[in-house]
């Protein structure tokens, strides 16, 4: 490293123990560009009595550097429901995650650093669409993925995530459900239950790009590689992989099985975050970036805590019904 300004040198000194967590995946010269923001965010969290919830797809300097709670969509919803002490909850993730945290914490300030951090699944369906589905399939319960707007959740009976979808579908005790909006998730879940599932045509723009041919190529190029896929991938991709599960299930699998070589068919930052903790595992990286998740940066997290922007709001007439759908999901356990 060349000569650094004294302020950066001091920030590097202050954040050295945090850097130790990501040393394996972030070079020291790159950490020098993060250190001042990390130091400022640590200070701002104390001043604001704020906590940061980060999804597994956040970059390592956020995920390991400044987050207090990390996890998949289910863990973030559960932890948001449990949160009792913080005045401010900042969601390092996408908008539907912040909205879910707000539903579960109506009296607290919930921040999203960039309101443009959306999701192709959440965009694929509206509350009007759900009302039409209810008319078309009277009496069939509607199970809605958390990757949706609060307005869509409000029209649903119960929410689910990729981590609990089978349990949620089976908890209803009915022969048939509508599951929306992710067609591939619904098709993958249908293979694990006797409940008939009516699907919608939404797709995750990240996971829909993986193909079964990709998997055959990885196996050829990287002998012995273990392939883990997210259930938002097309069914033929899940069928060609060795294990499929939510981001948290994939992380647990790597920790438990300690494969010598693994490829995670999901968003790119997952491999970086897991590699930071499992330095003995080789990660093969043909990953896909989520442009929405990548809208969150250390700089806009810092600005968000400084200015309390952007506070998430949900209209009262939607919030009550949407909260019920999320709370029903959490109650399934
Ligand atoms: P999970 O972390 O719940 O598996 O969800 C993945 C995802 O794509 C979130 O946007
Ligand atoms: Fe949405 Fe897919 Fe991005 Fe997750 S990875 S936020 S499901 S577009």
């Amino acid at each position: 490293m060349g000569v650094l300004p004294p302020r950066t040198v001091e920030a590097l000194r202050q954040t050295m123990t945090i850097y130790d967590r990501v040393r394996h995946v972030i070079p020291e010269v790159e950490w020098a560009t993060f250190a001042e923001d990390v130091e400022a965010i640590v200070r701002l969290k104390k001043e604001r009595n704020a906590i940061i919830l980060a999804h597994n797809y956040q970059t390592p300097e956020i995920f390991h550097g400044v987050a207090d709670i990390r996890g998949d969509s289910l863990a973030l919803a559960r932890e948001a429901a449990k949160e009792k002490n913080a005045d401010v909850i900042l969601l390092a993730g996408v908008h539907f995650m912040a909205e879910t945290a707000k539903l579960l914490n109506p009296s607290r300030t919930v921040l999203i650093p960039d309101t443009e951090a959306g999701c192709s699944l959440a965009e694929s369906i509206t509350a009007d669409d759900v009302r039409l589905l209810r008319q078309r399939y009277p009496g069939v319960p509607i199970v809605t993925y958390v990757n949706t707007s609060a307005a869509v959740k409000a029209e649903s009976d119960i929410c689910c995530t990729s981590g609990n979808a089978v349990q949620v579908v089976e908890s209803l005790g009915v022969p048939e459900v509508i599951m929306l909006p992710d067609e591939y998730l619904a098709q993958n879940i249908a293979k694990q239950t006797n409940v008939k599932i009516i699907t919608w045509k939404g797709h995750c723009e990240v996971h829909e790009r993986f193909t079964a041919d990709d998997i055959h190529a990885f196996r050829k190029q990287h002998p012995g590689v273990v392939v883990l896929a997210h259930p938002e991938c097309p069914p033929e991709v899940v069928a060609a992989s060795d294990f499929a599960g939510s981001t948290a299930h994939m992380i647990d699998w790597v920790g438990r099985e300690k494969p010598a070589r693994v490829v995670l068919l999901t968003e790119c930052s997952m491999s970086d975050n897991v590699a930071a903790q499992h330095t003995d595992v080789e990660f093969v990286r043909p990953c896909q970036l989520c442009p929405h998740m990548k809208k969150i940066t250390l700089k806009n997290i810092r600005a968000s805590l400084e200015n309390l922007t952007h506070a998430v709001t949900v209209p009262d007439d939607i919030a009550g019904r949407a909260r019920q759908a999320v709370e029903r999901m959490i109650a399934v356990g």
Side-chain angles (χ1 to χ4, degrees), residues 53-59 61-63 71-73 76 91-98 112-114 116-120 147 204-207 232 247 266-270 288-298 300-301:
L53 271 56
H55 185 262
N56 292 325
Y57 295 161
Q58 292 296 294
T59 46
E61 70 281 8
I62 296 174
F63 189 82
D72 65 354
S73 312
L76 297 184
L91 214 305
V94 291
H95 193 262
F96 75 79
M97 294 175 176
I112 179 93
D114 186 330
E116 299 288 303
C119 169
S120 66
N147 299 41
C204 162
E205 68 186 83
V206 175
H207 293 97
E232 289 170 13
T247 54
T266 193
E267 212 277 340
C268 296
S269 294
M270 261 279 289
Q288 302 281 356
L289 275 171
C290 173
H292 311 288
M293 287 282 177
K294 299 297 87 115
K295 286 210 156 38
I296 308 302
T297 63
L298 282 177
N300 61 24
I301 290 175

